[in-house]
Amino acid sequence: MCGIVGYLGHRRALPVLLNGLKRLEYRGYDSAGIAVPTEDGLYIAKRAGTVAQLEALLAGVELPATSGIGHTRWATHGEPLDRNAHPHTDASGRIAIVHNGIIENYSTLKAKLREDGYTFRSDTDTEVLAVFIGALYEQYGDLELAVRTALSEVQGTFGIVILCADQPDTLIAARRGSPIVIGIGDGEYIVASDATAIVEYTRSVFYLTDDEMAIITREGCQTKTIDDIPTSVQLLELEFDLERIEKGGFPHFMLKEIYEQPQTFLDACRGRLLPHEGNVKLGGLRSVEPQLRRARRLILTGCGTSWHAALVGEYWIEELARLPVEVEYASEFRYRNPVLFPEDIVIAISQSGETADTLAAVREAKLRGATVLGIVNVVGSSIARETHAGVYIHAGPEIGVASTKAFTSQLAVLMLLALYLGRMRHLSAAQAQDIAAEIRRLPEKIQYILDHAEHIRQIARQYAQARNFLYLGRGVNFPIALEGALKLKEIAYIHAEGYPAAEMKHGPIALIDENMPVVVIAPRDELYEKVLSNIEEIRARHGQIIAIANEGDTELPHVANHIITIPHTLPLLTPVLTVIPLQLLAYFIAVERGLNVDMPRNLAKSVTVE
Ligand code: G6P
């Protein structure tokens, strides 16, 4: 949700912290702050606004400190104001803390601390934790003990890093539910909420597990549970390099990530698709193969764009494996008392692997005895670790808040899964071979759409001031209508609804007039004629039709106001192509409206709170 960075090493901490915050800004961007030790106590600078604004505040400030902590915030408790920005300090001002997550019992703790005479300057739960730790430190005179005691009493979630003026060469980090990753460099440590802040210093990292803490000093890094039981860590090598988290000449990360899709789609399939054998190899699922053979039902769960990928997966798996699939919002699944049978397979789909609701759904499903799998992007993330098995999508870091390349990579893996499950059941090798051969052609077809983006930009110009949009699709393209509408809402702040095309006449048709742009996904498939009838209904009410059509379509140009063409593919695979123009349309409209595409208001890349 928010971004955390901490540094202890031989470099000046301030530039490292600011650099880290810039890398993490996509995770939260309504306020930012840093704390570093000086001879006279902690130097703290924080303010509402962007990291660039914090940097301006610090212009000309030279601090020799080689340790420090920083934070970029996405507000949960308390408005984005200077006083609510992190780091927060205890009553003495000698302990500073940066925190992701939510301290659920903060009001009880706050009331108790108030009774003891403590006062508060912010509206945040984090300050309560800082003051609580400070109070215990005063009592015990031992920082680590104070932190452990406080953390064992708080309820809720946290990823924290603590700096104390009395021990400027120590950082204490801890996690419960909110990721903390620690990079080990040459004589330096970088602590962060995600690896993007670390990769330019070192590739050697480890993740803290829940209720684990790290005490980092110049002599080394010690890990233990918050109950003081020593733990050992598993070092990982980061797979991506700096280039993957820089814009590389694109004006926005989102556009860069849209253009990466021919490559990322290929990467998701690499080594997994065996077109000659008409089969698929998914190494991450080998251990659960017997369960997958026995499975009678799949439940796919996720949030946002990942939930849309699950909806496409439902069509694919039911079609190719003839296995019933249910798709549930993770936030509903976790609280709904779901009926689960021991032979059910639950699959959590998540780009970040950290979404709180999806993680809770994973835990709930495990508790009820289901086999739980993950389709995740971030290696080593909580969902990846807590599921019984899974498949990484290997899309590389996704920085743009609106998910694009992760979506098409999720689709790639879901299609592979559908083939894999299908081959275990009724799907013939010949059918699988045809599909596999076509999957291999998709990257160049995605590229074709990207090469014709200018036409989409022209259309975007005409509709940038529209107040509402309707997106229609049928069958496997219905979820793409939802995804197209979501992209537009997220980054262009235009109200948009996705609908199954045939449902339009049961309500949304009432909204159609000459001011309503309607994006209709109309590839040549078995439902094409039906979609044409839907288009006629829109035309009769003077709606503006933007049709996504196959190349060479001769009918749609007569009925639609604009045509965006996509290459031919198998009808089942069209979502991989139809989504691309919708991503571009939303992007160009947002740019036309002068909006900050990579940091849309009120949104966060990874929602690690409920
Ligand atoms: C947030 C992001 C969305 C994303 C959703 C699920 O809302 O803004 O882009 O689709 O979370 O995230 P996940 O990391 O679980 O896929």
Coordinates of all heavy atoms in Angstrom, one line a residue, residues 303-306 349-353 355 401 403 490 604-605 607, ligand 1:
C303 N -8.9 -9.9 -6.9 CA -9.5 -8.6 -6.8 C -9.1 -7.8 -8.1 O -8.1 -8.1 -8.7 CB -8.9 -7.8 -5.6 SG -9.1 -8.7 -4.1
G304 N -10.0 -6.8 -8.4 CA -9.7 -5.9 -9.5 C -9.4 -6.6 -10.8 O -10.1 -7.5 -11.2
T305 N -8.3 -6.2 -11.4 CA -8.0 -6.8 -12.7 C -7.7 -8.3 -12.6 O -8.1 -9.0 -13.5 CB -6.7 -6.0 -13.2 OG1 -7.1 -4.7 -13.6 CG2 -6.1 -6.7 -14.4
S306 N -7.2 -8.7 -11.5 CA -6.9 -10.1 -11.4 C -8.2 -10.9 -11.3 O -8.3 -12.1 -11.8 CB -6.1 -10.4 -10.1 OG -4.9 -9.8 -10.2
I349 N -5.5 -15.5 -7.7 CA -4.7 -14.8 -8.7 C -4.4 -13.4 -8.2 O -5.3 -12.6 -7.7 CB -5.6 -14.6 -10.0 CG1 -6.1 -16.0 -10.4 CG2 -4.8 -14.0 -11.1 CD1 -7.0 -16.1 -11.6
S350 N -3.1 -13.0 -8.3 CA -2.7 -11.7 -7.7 C -1.4 -11.3 -8.4 O -0.4 -12.1 -8.4 CB -2.5 -11.8 -6.2 OG -2.0 -10.7 -5.7
Q351 N -1.3 -10.1 -8.9 CA -0.1 -9.6 -9.4 C 0.9 -9.5 -8.3 O 2.0 -10.0 -8.4 CB -0.4 -8.2 -10.1 CG 0.8 -7.6 -10.8 CD 1.9 -7.0 -9.9 OE1 3.1 -7.3 -10.0 NE2 1.5 -6.1 -9.0
S352 N 0.5 -8.7 -7.2 CA 1.5 -8.4 -6.2 C 1.8 -9.6 -5.3 O 2.8 -9.7 -4.6 CB 0.9 -7.3 -5.3 OG -0.3 -7.7 -4.7
G353 N 0.8 -10.5 -5.1 CA 0.9 -11.5 -4.2 C 0.7 -11.1 -2.7 O 1.0 -11.8 -1.8
T355 N -2.2 -8.7 -1.9 CA -3.5 -8.1 -1.6 C -4.2 -8.8 -0.4 O -4.3 -10.0 -0.4 CB -4.3 -8.3 -2.9 OG1 -3.6 -7.6 -4.0 CG2 -5.7 -7.6 -2.7
V401 N 0.0 1.9 -11.8 CA -1.0 1.4 -10.8 C -2.1 0.6 -11.6 O -2.6 -0.4 -11.1 CB -1.6 2.6 -10.0 CG1 -2.8 2.2 -9.3 CG2 -0.5 3.1 -9.1
S403 N -3.2 -2.1 -13.8 CA -2.5 -3.3 -14.3 C -2.8 -3.6 -15.7 O -3.9 -3.5 -16.2 CB -3.1 -4.5 -13.4 OG -2.4 -5.7 -13.8
E490 N -10.2 3.9 -13.6 CA -9.0 4.0 -12.8 C -8.1 5.2 -13.2 O -7.7 6.0 -12.3 CB -8.1 2.8 -13.0 CG -8.6 1.6 -12.2 CD -7.6 0.4 -12.4 OE1 -7.3 0.1 -13.6 OE2 -7.3 -0.3 -11.5
A604 N -4.1 2.6 -5.1 CA -2.8 2.1 -4.7 C -2.5 0.8 -5.5 O -3.4 0.1 -5.9 CB -2.8 1.8 -3.2
K605 N -1.2 0.6 -5.8 CA -0.8 -0.5 -6.6 C -1.2 -1.8 -5.9 O -1.6 -2.8 -6.5 CB 0.7 -0.4 -6.9 CG 1.2 -1.5 -7.7 CD 0.7 -1.4 -9.1 CE 1.0 -2.6 -10.0 NZ 0.1 -2.8 -11.1
V607 N -3.0 -3.4 -2.5 CA -3.9 -3.0 -1.4 C -3.7 -4.0 -0.3 O -4.4 -5.1 -0.2 CB -5.4 -2.9 -1.9 CG1 -6.3 -2.5 -0.7 CG2 -5.5 -1.9 -3.0
Ligands
G6P1 C1 -5.4 -2.8 -6.7 C2 -4.7 -2.3 -8.0 C3 -5.3 -3.1 -9.2 C4 -5.2 -4.6 -9.0 C5 -5.8 -5.0 -7.6 C6 -5.5 -6.5 -7.3 O1 -6.7 -2.4 -6.7 O2 -4.9 -1.0 -8.2 O3 -4.7 -2.8 -10.4 O4 -5.8 -5.3 -10.0 O5 -5.3 -4.2 -6.6 O6 -4.1 -6.6 -7.1 P1 -3.3 -7.9 -7.2 O7 -1.9 -7.4 -6.9 O8 -3.8 -8.8 -6.1 O9 -3.4 -8.4 -8.5

